[in-house]
Amino acid sequence: MQVELRRGLPRVPGGEPWPPAGTVDVADAPTEDTAADVAPVADAAETAEVALRRGLPRVPGGEPWPPAGSVRVAVPAAAGASAAAADVADVAEPAHTVEVPLRQGLPRVEGGEPWPPAGTVRVAAPEPEAEPEPQPETAAPVAATVVDDAVAKTAPEPAPKPAPKPAPQPAPASATAGKPEGVVRQWLPWAIGALLLLAAAVFGARWYVGTEAGADFIARYNGIQPLPDNAPTGLPGWLNWAHFFNMFLMALIIKTGIDVRREKRPAAYWQPKKGGKKISVTLWLHQLLDVAWVVLGVVFFVLLFTTGQWMRIVPTSWDAIPHAVSAGLQYLSLDWPTENPWLYYNALQELSYFVTVFIASPLAIVSGFRMSSMWPASWKAVPVSWARAVHFPTMIYFVAFVVVHVFLVLTTGLRGNMNAMFAAREDATSWIGVVLFLVAAGVTALGWFFARASVVAPVAGKTGKVSKR
């Protein structure tokens, strides 16, 4: 039997209703032998009138489709002709109909009531107890299917069980919320403790220097480093340039090292042109500065030992240790030792320079190389955990050294120190060294300012592939 397809809404805006117009076979067509049995199906006594279910409009602002109306559908036939007539007649009685609430859909207009209006409709229902006798295949099964479909479509759907509400979770605290207060609370006890310890050391040093034993110790060991007779005098120009480049590179290495530890989502990544592991452009800049610092160190070592300047920072006598203790006591007692960097350092400066150049610097280089992408994967002798445990404390040492070094330079004869370190001249009255230091500090500040991903990424792109991910 050919039945016209029911068409729905278009699949795309402005398209044709779907599915396309056509028909479909719903059951085998009745044969000539059963034609007489099919005919009664069309009789009004064996059909029930069912209201059409209306859907959405076909066009914006139109009426619901299909238009309001009803359709008559066949009801199942019972066993025998007389039983079928009685059953069909009973369909119209309330005992053999089902009252079903209308299923409401979306409003037809914005802000309107759901459509259709709330109400019920009565539809014919088949007798569940009556067991129909076997009948020849006619259109009756088609009628039963239509009625069942009408009931199923108009019956209210079971209310879905409410999903269990998850337990309320506390809102995650912002990564920056309360951060300044947290930092202050974390470091304030340490700062107070350090100040108290420094104050105790100052009072203790002043007391000891004021005793007879302390005065004798200072008189015997005045704090001046013991130098060999052939030690060079003065600071050469190459040492001034090395001092400037070391200041510039150290400032940027410390800055980028802190950035690498703090960054959670890098702004850009760098990868070698031939492929390999991706790293952030900040880490790329940090490693580039490390390489430049190592090259500077190699040049510095060569010149240091070929010119004899190593004698000024390498202890050549065990007397350097008590002299260093004496210089430390003089600093703590606020009666500072005499400074003349053009001719000599005090013993405490000598030991601090020796530790910085020959111990801290190699540790920083080796641990940084182990943590970098340049370390060969086949070298397993040095664990990366050791490198992480050494590299950051070494950076803290450098920061502390720079702070103390700058403080002493500024407070123990500013112009004389600056002239010796930046102008390669022995002069305690000229301002040329201060001017050169300010220029060097300005260049370092510019480098610090431009050491950011937006500036570094184009430069890094010249040596590899730069991407956002």
Side-chain angles (χ1 to χ4, degrees), residues 354-379:
F354 174 80
V355 171
T356 302
V357 174
F358 295 99
I359 298 178
S361 297
L363 282 177
I365 293 172
V366 173
S367 59
F369 179 48
R370 177 62 184 91
M371 295 167 59
S372 73
S373 58
M374 295 179 287
W375 181 269
S378 58
W379 294 5

Side-chain angles (χ1 to χ4, degrees), residues 401-422:
F401 173 82
V402 169
V403 170
V404 175
H405 178 67
V406 172
F407 173 75
L408 292 177
V409 166
L410 298 179
T411 55
T412 58
L414 174 63
R415 285 183 286 177
N417 290 331
M418 292 298 177
N419 284 327
M421 295 164 57
F422 286 92

